[in-house]
Amino acid sequence: MVAIEVEGLRKTFKKGKVVAVDGVSLTIEKGELFGLLGPNGAGKTTLIKCLSTLLIPDGGRIRIFGHDVLKESLKVRRLIGLVTGGERTLYWKLSVFDNLRYFAALYGLYGRKARRRIEEMIEVMDLVEKRDERVERLSTGMRQKVALARALLHDPELLLLDEPTLGLDPQFSRVIRRFIKEELQKKLKKTILLTTHYMEEADELCDRIGFMSQGKIAACATPEELKEKIPHERLLEIKMAGLPDESLIRNIPGVEDVLMIVDNNRTVLRIQSPDPEGILATVLERLRKECRIIGFGLTTPTLEDVFIFLTGEELR
Amino acid sequence: MIIVYEELRKTVKIWLTYPLVLVFWTIFPIMWVIPFIFQGKAFVGALSSQAFADLTGTGQYIPFVIIGAVVSTYMFSALYGIGNAFREESYWGTLEYLIGSPASKGFILLGKALSEGIFSTFFALSQLLFAIFLFGVKITLTKILPILLIMSFLLLALYGLGIGLAGLTLLIKESRGIIHSLDDILYLFSPIRYPVEVNPITKFVSLFIPLTYALIAIRGILLLNKPFHLLITEMVALLLLDIGFLFFGFYTFNTLERKVRQTGTIGHH
Amino acid sequence: MIRHYLTAINAENIKEWKIEMSYLPDFIRSFIEPIVYVLPFVLYGIALVGGRNSPNLARLVGSGDIITYVVLGYIVMGFLNTACWGMGWSLRKEQWYGTIETIFAAPVPRWVYIAGMATHSTLHQGGMIGIQVIVIHLLFRIFFHTSGILPSLLLIGLMLIALYGMGMMVAALALIFKEGWIVSEILHSIISVVTPIAYPLSVLPVFLREIAKFMPTTYGVLGIRHFLMGERVFFTIPEAVFKLLLFGFVWVGFGITIFLLIDRKVRRDGTLGHY
């Protein structure tokens, strides 16, 4: 059964000057965990907002479990659990319980049934101790758990998670990721569409990934299939201190593409070549003039390499 | 001097991006007195009231409330302009840079006060024009000079209050509610809209509010044709309140500013 | 379905009370402010006539008790705050909280939120007015015919329909205007000036008198003073009921239209979550 069906979706802002989503077509099956991966501004959030009836598209059609989002928006909203980015999507002055109680009422849950469901969600999300705490006193990660609990209250078929781990510390991100994969997908059999700009997240979680770049879906396949798009099985990776001149490497014969990741004063170069061992000496020689080499070796391509290879854009 | 000028320029520019707000402050303070005028007509049946004259020296309640409205423009400017200024900066996200800059906070406040003064004088004058046009209020030019002097005395005290309030809003992160309550309180305890002498409690409290003396003096000149030298008592009282309010304002501001810097809560909303 | 919507309306109301009470000083102030606000109008009246009885008012409306007259007028006008601020600002507040997208993604029609905020705002305003009446009564004593209370409540109820329509319009406008408070202030000021709050219609200039006849608040204020203190009015009660229903119908229709248009606009422009 098809959960999400998007056909030729187009959404522009500022009287057509800014094209956020440019003719996207997409089909997601029931039970699938689909990831939209792309840098900020690629159009991921706009797409999610169109799916959740918060935005009216300029063109194209969206069906959620066969229901048109524009014509049957109330039905569609009942099927969706939405977690949008940003911390302020809860009432900070209300307790965890009061927040959930309010949203339960909006989703048609009341009385004993609502109470039971809220307590269940509080337990599932490991929030029992924070039940009566005001949201303003919780950490960012805790707030994200409350937001997830809220999205699950009405037991929706489809979850739209917009950057669910944005701004969380690594430990909390892991907890949330595990919950999404193990609990939501495997145990509860939910259909999940999540957006992210962390490639590890997409790689680890998703059955299929759509690369989004400048409003378009550049590629859509399983992580393994995507990685196979890079012609070589091995990449040359070099770690160094300092910032090298990328063009020095690019014009070495045999180098096909270079990915440069800079973090503080550390740089990692990932070089594509049909013969990585063969070019190693030349590369090191050129780099040594500018930087201090920390280490080098051969690795397999990651999704980020594929993304850059396919879109020419970097993820961050 | 440059800081004051730049602050002035910035405030003026920001003001000009909200034309509707400009029009609002020009017209509405005058509109708010209209109910008082009709209320007077209904209750008295004439344009002058003897009971009113017994309290204020003049029975003409219409010019009485109009003068109150025009002068209250300065009250709004002190409360909404200066009192709210830092709240706005914090809303724009620029407060930390302002507080963190090496410029003296006193000069920044002075710049704000100056631009506020200019705008409120513009508002007051246009309201006056409206009043002349709508209600036939008469003003002779020779009276303008002493009135301007009284106004500037009033401004000092009101801006002292505004500065204190600005400090308070740094601490409590909220301003609109407090300002609203404060202007209701000033309406009740100073003779902006009615003669406070009518009730012993309001009369007593009004003695501590600079608006009281300024309004008595201005109405004395405009409505009772009092010569300026007969208003010395009011002027001295106003001057004393100036000193008190300015001292209180700067003291509060400095204390609270230091406090938020210690607790590191400047940028919070 | 109906039960779902009613629960949602009630949840909206309870949520608002809880959030308001979390800002305790503001919450308390909201009950004191109406008293401080109305006092200058009362004291001004006393200063004008030198007591609480105005022969001129008695000649115009049939009763000369200026204190009761003024207080009743301002009590009714308190409900204007419901439209201009309470209800009018509710969605804007959700924008500030950051919650507006989340609540708009829930499966309830927009009118349910509006009904929820109208309920809350009316209850809160009702509480404020109750305290206002008690305090002013203790300070000055208000005299009114108790037999007029029920018909007065009926008129207030009818007047509220039109005010809810206005509230919807303001709520929607506040979503798109950066300086939305201006809309509320202007609406509030204009209606306050042309409604005969503390005076009969007859003292207004002819053109204002004609405009006043199109204000639901005019029929509310005058009708209630008619029931509670015998003010002579220019309309019959069935006429007032008819007019209030008519205004209600027109304003609610207008409010809904504006609301739907703006809702569509923000969903097209993607500015719903912005503030």
Side-chain angles (χ1 to χ4, degrees):
Chain A
M1 191 185 179
V2 177
I4 301 178
E5 209 182 340
V6 181
E7 277 174 48
L9 183 74
R10 192 178 154 79
K11 179 70 201 167
T12 61
F13 295 117
K14 305 209 167 132
K15 292 180 182 147
K17 277 184 219 142
V18 179
V19 182
V21 175
D22 191 3
V24 164
S25 295
L26 186 67
T27 307
I28 297 172
E29 294 294 324
K30 186 173 186 311
E32 198 175 358
L33 204 173
F34 189 95
L36 273 176
L37 182 67
N40 289 331
K44 306 183 301 277
T45 300
T46 305
L47 180 59
I48 287 244
K49 284 188 180 172
C50 288
L51 290 172
S52 56
T53 77
L54 287 172
L55 275 178
I56 301 175
D58 298 352
R61 214 171 60 172
I62 306 171
R63 285 167 176 280
I64 307 279
F65 292 103
H67 301 289
D68 188 294
V69 289
L70 287 182
K71 291 183 193 133
E72 300 168 275
S73 54
L74 282 190
K75 258 192 195 144
V76 167
R77 284 185 214 151
R78 220 166 279 141
L79 295 168
I80 291 177
L82 176 68
V83 177
T84 53
E87 282 194 79
R88 289 202 156 261
T89 64
L90 296 158
Y91 296 99
W92 281 32
K93 293 285 171 189
L94 297 186
S95 68
V96 170
F97 184 82
D98 283 340
N99 262 289
L100 294 178
R101 200 171 109 155
Y102 170 67
F103 283 102
L106 292 189
Y107 281 88
L109 292 168
Y110 37 79
R112 216 174 296 147
K113 202 174 146 200
R115 192 168 277 271
R116 227 181 11 240
R117 182 71 185 157
I118 294 167
E119 299 295 358
E120 194 185 322
M121 281 299 109
I122 286 179
E123 214 169 287
V124 167
M125 297 309 303
D126 201 11
L127 287 164
V128 180
E129 277 168 34
K130 306 282 175 192
R131 185 183 178 278
D132 298 312
E133 194 90 54
R134 276 192 196 171
V135 168
E136 63 184 350
R137 299 206 187 99
L138 301 184
S139 67
T140 313
M142 286 288 182
R143 283 185 201 130
Q144 193 63 352
K145 280 185 161 188
V146 183
L148 265 169
R150 171 185 58 198
L152 291 168
L153 275 174
H154 58 299
D155 198 18
E157 282 295 319
L158 171 65
L159 284 159
L160 301 176
L161 312 177
D162 191 11
E163 303 272 6
T165 58
L166 187 68
L168 302 190
D169 62 44
Q171 194 194 341
F172 241 113
S173 297
R174 262 199 303 278
V175 172
I176 299 279
R177 280 176 199 165
R178 199 178 312 134
F179 181 78
I180 293 172
K181 186 78 191 172
E182 301 301 325
E183 199 72 19
L184 295 182
Q185 193 199 16
K186 289 193 178 152
K187 208 163 139 197
L188 299 171
K189 313 267 183 249
K190 304 284 178 204
T191 311
I192 301 162
L193 169 62
L194 73 84
T195 74
T196 178
H197 63 277
Y198 303 123
M199 55 109 193
E200 309 89 353
E201 186 164 290
D203 200 358
E204 179 189 331
L205 292 180
C206 301
D207 302 328
R208 274 198 308 150
I209 292 170
F211 279 164
M212 212 163 168
S213 164
Q214 297 176 359
K216 290 193 169 80
I217 295 210
C220 180
T222 65
E224 291 68 33
E225 285 167 348
L226 284 170
K227 283 178 206 161
E228 281 165 14
K229 300 216 177 208
I230 290 208
H232 317 293
E233 278 172 19
R234 294 174 309 162
L235 298 178
L236 176 60
E237 186 181 79
I238 303 168
K239 292 181 184 145
M240 69 211 80
L243 193 67
D245 179 2
E246 204 181 319
S247 61
L248 277 181
I249 309 298
R250 277 192 186 276
N251 51 33
I252 295 176
V255 169
E256 286 176 354
D257 210 346
V258 180
L259 161 62
M260 190 159 95
I261 303 160
V262 184
D263 187 14
N264 282 329
N265 198 30
R266 297 283 165 96
T267 306
V268 178
L269 282 183
R270 296 170 68 82
I271 302 166
Q272 275 183 46
S273 166
D275 179 19
E277 289 97 340
I279 59 166
L280 178 62
T282 328
V283 170
L284 290 179
E285 189 189 332
R286 289 203 182 175
L287 285 173
R288 217 170 258 143
K289 286 176 193 157
E290 296 183 52
C291 309
R292 192 163 58 81
I293 309 285
I294 299 169
F296 56 84
L298 292 174
T299 62
T300 46
T302 65
L303 279 179
E304 190 157 11
D305 299 311
V306 188
F307 191 89
I308 294 168
F309 179 71
L310 291 176
T311 66
E313 242 189 314
E314 286 188 32
L315 270 175
R316 28 199 128 191
Chain B
M1 248 11 254
I2 292 173
I3 299 167
V4 175
Y5 171 74
E6 286 300 328
E7 188 58 45
L8 183 73
R9 223 174 90 97
K10 180 188 85 183
T11 313
V12 169
K13 287 215 160 170
I14 290 170
W15 261 110
L16 292 179
T17 57
Y18 297 114
L20 198 61
V21 181
L22 278 177
V23 174
F24 177 82
W25 286 119
T26 314
I27 298 174
F28 280 85
I30 278 291
M31 265 187 85
W32 293 332
V33 305
I34 293 176
F36 286 86
I37 294 173
F38 294 134
Q39 196 181 346
K41 277 190 177 168
F43 289 6
V44 181
L47 291 178
S48 183
S49 147
Q50 190 49 52
F52 210 77
D54 293 342
L55 290 169
T56 65
T58 170
Q60 297 171 294
Y61 54 87
I62 296 181
F64 181 94
V65 289
I66 289 175
I67 290 170
V70 174
V71 173
S72 70
T73 300
Y74 290 94
M75 169 183 92
F76 287 122
S77 132
L79 297 181
Y80 285 85
I82 301 185
N84 202 23
F86 283 100
R87 217 36 231 143
E88 263 183 340
E89 299 274 2
S90 135
Y91 194 63
W92 297 329
T94 41
L95 181 64
E96 280 185 301
Y97 301 97
L98 210 70
I99 296 277
S101 76
S104 148
K105 311 304 167 280
F107 284 115
I108 293 175
L109 285 168
L110 188 65
K112 286 198 186 293
L114 216 60
S115 47
E116 276 303 321
I118 289 171
F119 270 98
S120 14
T121 304
F122 163 76
F123 292 140
L125 286 176
S126 32
Q127 288 161 17
L128 213 56
L129 279 177
F130 266 111
I132 291 170
F133 174 72
L134 276 177
F135 309 108
V137 174
K138 287 190 201 79
I139 285 201
T140 35
L141 281 175
T142 49
K143 291 178 175 175
I144 296 245
L145 216 62
I147 289 176
L148 281 179
L149 186 70
I150 300 168
M151 291 280 215
S152 48
F153 270 49
L154 172 65
L155 272 189
L156 288 178
L158 283 179
Y159 287 176
L161 177 70
I163 288 166
L165 192 63
L168 190 65
T169 62
L170 285 180
L171 186 72
I172 59 168
K173 323 279 171 215
E174 194 271 342
S175 60
R176 231 164 231 290
I178 283 213
I179 288 174
H180 229 276
S181 294
L182 254 177
D183 77 39
D184 276 346
I185 287 170
L186 290 176
Y187 270 132
L188 179 60
F189 290 112
S190 62
I192 301 174
R193 293 184 154 170
Y194 76 102
V196 279
E197 295 86 349
V198 73
N199 179 289
I201 299 169
T202 53
K203 185 179 176 184
F204 175 73
V205 180
S206 75
L207 294 176
F208 302 96
I209 295 177
L211 278 159
T212 309
Y213 301 98
L215 281 163
I216 292 176
I218 292 170
R219 286 187 181 123
I221 290 174
L222 282 175
L223 303 178
L224 305 174
N225 292 314
K226 274 194 188 168
F228 189 65
H229 63 84
L230 286 184
L231 299 167
I232 291 300
T233 334
E234 280 78 15
M235 293 307 280
V236 170
L238 205 47
L239 198 65
L240 287 175
L241 284 175
D242 280 347
I243 298 169
F245 271 65
L246 280 173
F247 175 76
F248 155 83
F250 275 106
Y251 179 77
T252 314
F253 184 84
N254 283 330
T255 317
L256 296 178
E257 192 231 358
R258 206 169 319 123
K259 189 164 175 181
V260 289
R261 267 193 298 159
Q262 272 164 0
T263 50
T265 49
I266 294 175
H268 293 191
H269 288 277
Chain C
M1 190 68 88
I2 297 292
R3 175 112 195 255
H4 170 191
Y5 293 164
L6 287 178
T7 315
I9 290 172
N10 185 39
E12 179 83 25
N13 171 38
I14 290 174
K15 174 204 82 187
E16 280 299 314
W17 280 116
K18 282 192 175 156
I19 292 179
E20 281 173 358
M21 279 184 223
S22 74
Y23 297 95
L24 201 59
D26 280 312
F27 186 68
I28 295 169
R29 200 167 50 215
S30 78
F31 289 97
I32 299 172
E33 225 175 60
I35 302 163
V36 180
Y37 173 76
V38 78
L39 284 175
F41 295 91
V42 175
L43 293 170
Y44 174 66
I46 298 175
L48 282 169
V49 295
R52 75 177 291 158
N53 191 49
S54 154
N56 195 61
L57 187 69
R59 187 176 58 78
L60 290 171
V61 306
S63 164
D65 175 3
I66 57 162
I67 293 176
T68 309
Y69 194 81
V70 170
V71 169
L72 288 180
Y74 280 97
I75 282 175
V76 177
M77 292 308 280
F79 284 106
L80 186 57
N81 289 328
T82 302
C84 290
W85 299 107
M87 221 180 130
W89 277 74
S90 48
L91 290 182
R92 176 70 160 190
K93 269 196 302 195
E94 300 285 348
Q95 270 182 333
W96 276 323
Y97 301 150
T99 43
I100 191 150
E101 292 196 324
T102 334
I103 61 170
F104 273 16
V108 278
R110 305 284 195 258
W111 66 262
V112 171
Y113 304 114
I114 299 174
M117 39 210 220
T119 309
H120 170 75
S121 173
T122 310
L123 290 174
H124 193 164
Q125 191 66 41
M128 281 154 73
I129 287 175
I131 291 177
Q132 194 183 21
V133 170
I134 292 169
V135 174
I136 303 267
H137 182 69
L138 290 176
L139 287 175
F140 298 102
R141 301 213 143 272
I142 319 174
F143 302 101
F144 56 84
H145 316 313
T146 39
S147 61
I149 292 179
L150 269 179
S152 298
L153 288 177
L154 172 80
L155 275 192
I156 289 184
L158 290 173
M159 176 186 79
L160 280 176
I161 302 174
L163 292 183
Y164 291 156
M166 274 179 211
M168 270 183 239
M169 178 187 78
V170 178
L173 288 175
L175 282 183
I176 52 169
F177 279 121
K178 210 164 38 161
E179 293 288 303
W181 62 271
I182 283 275
V183 179
S184 298
E185 281 285 4
I186 289 177
L187 194 69
H188 194 276
S189 301
I190 290 176
I191 296 177
S192 303
V193 167
V194 295
T195 304
I197 310 175
Y199 36 87
L201 216 52
S202 54
V203 299
L204 289 178
V206 180
F207 80 99
L208 280 183
R209 219 180 292 171
E210 290 309 312
I211 299 175
K213 287 181 183 166
F214 288 94
M215 295 291 150
T217 44
T218 300
Y219 299 88
V221 168
L222 294 181
I224 282 150
R225 279 199 302 241
H226 170 75
F227 285 128
L228 292 179
M229 59 184 297
E231 173 164 10
R232 277 195 299 271
V233 288
F234 69 93
F235 48 78
T236 63
I237 294 310
E239 212 180 319
V241 170
F242 172 73
K243 283 263 175 77
L244 285 175
L245 282 173
L246 181 73
F247 291 145
F249 183 74
V250 171
W251 266 107
V252 168
F254 186 65
I256 290 176
T257 313
I258 299 275
F259 189 88
L260 291 179
L261 284 175
I262 289 180
D263 180 47
R264 240 187 129 64
K265 184 179 157 52
V266 293
R267 279 166 70 204
R268 278 194 192 287
D269 300 348
T271 50
L272 182 61
H274 296 193
Y275 66 89

